[in-house]
């Protein structure tokens, strides 16, 4: 996609090279399918996530900590953000692939890192 934008894109234009638009639940289901696990059956109510976000944001401001799970991640986790790559498809001939190969590659990397850690 980047190479196509350099070669065929119009100067000054921006192209979204997004992938599949998936809800969090669908993404978790796809991850579970790829790694051979079971996806969570239930999700937390929005007010619980929002409360955790506010508490975490207060902690981040008070202590300056930036844990792997941040208040921004929690805030965005309650929203469905839709991105459209049609412009890149139309003007560049670019097509998004399935998220599944990326999930599988990440899973292999995690397993390899885990096996090296305990070797």
């Amino acid at each position: 996609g980047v190479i196509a934008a350099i070669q065929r894109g119009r100067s000054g234009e921006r192209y979204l090279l997004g992938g599949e638009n998936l809800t969090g639940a669908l993404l978790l289901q796809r991850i579970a399918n790829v790694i051979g696990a079971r996806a969570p059956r239930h999700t937390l109510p929005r007010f619980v996530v929002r409360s955790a976000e506010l508490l975490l944001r207060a902690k981040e401001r008070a202590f300056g900590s930036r844990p792997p799970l941040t208040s921004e991640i929690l805030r965005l986790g309650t929203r469905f953000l839709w991105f459209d790559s049609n412009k890149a498809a139309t003007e560049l001939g670019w097509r998004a692939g399935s998220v599944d190969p990326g999930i599988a590659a990440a899973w292999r990397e995690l397993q390899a890192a885990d096996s090296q850690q305990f070797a």
Side-chain angles (χ1 to χ4, degrees):
V2 173
I3 293 170
I6 291 168
Q7 293 174 343
R8 295 187 299 277
R10 291 180 290 135
S11 180
E13 291 296 314
R14 295 178 182 182
Y15 300 94
L16 292 179
L17 304 177
E20 296 176 80
N21 281 305
L22 302 171
T23 64
L26 283 174
L27 178 59
L28 290 174
Q29 184 61 55
R30 298 283 285 278
I31 292 169
N33 290 344
V34 170
I35 69 172
R38 189 168 31 160
R41 291 188 224 175
H42 305 287
T43 59
L44 292 173
R46 186 178 297 238
F47 79 89
V48 172
V49 176
R50 178 78 174 131
S51 298
E53 171 205 340
L54 295 172
L55 290 170
L56 190 53
R57 184 180 306 142
K59 178 182 178 267
E60 291 166 352
R61 286 183 179 162
F63 301 105
S65 68
R66 300 296 292 177
L69 180 63
T70 65
S71 60
E72 290 89 4
I73 291 171
L74 289 176
R75 182 176 56 84
L76 291 174
T78 62
R79 294 178 169 86
F80 183 70
L81 304 172
W82 184 269
F83 297 95
D84 185 355
S85 299
N86 283 335
K87 181 178 174 182
T90 301
E91 294 187 20
L92 307 176
W94 179 80
R95 298 285 183 264
S98 170
V99 69
D100 296 349
I103 294 169
W107 181 240
R108 285 191 302 273
E109 289 292 324
L110 287 169
Q111 288 178 309
D114 193 44
S115 67
Q116 290 176 359
Q117 179 181 0
F118 296 108

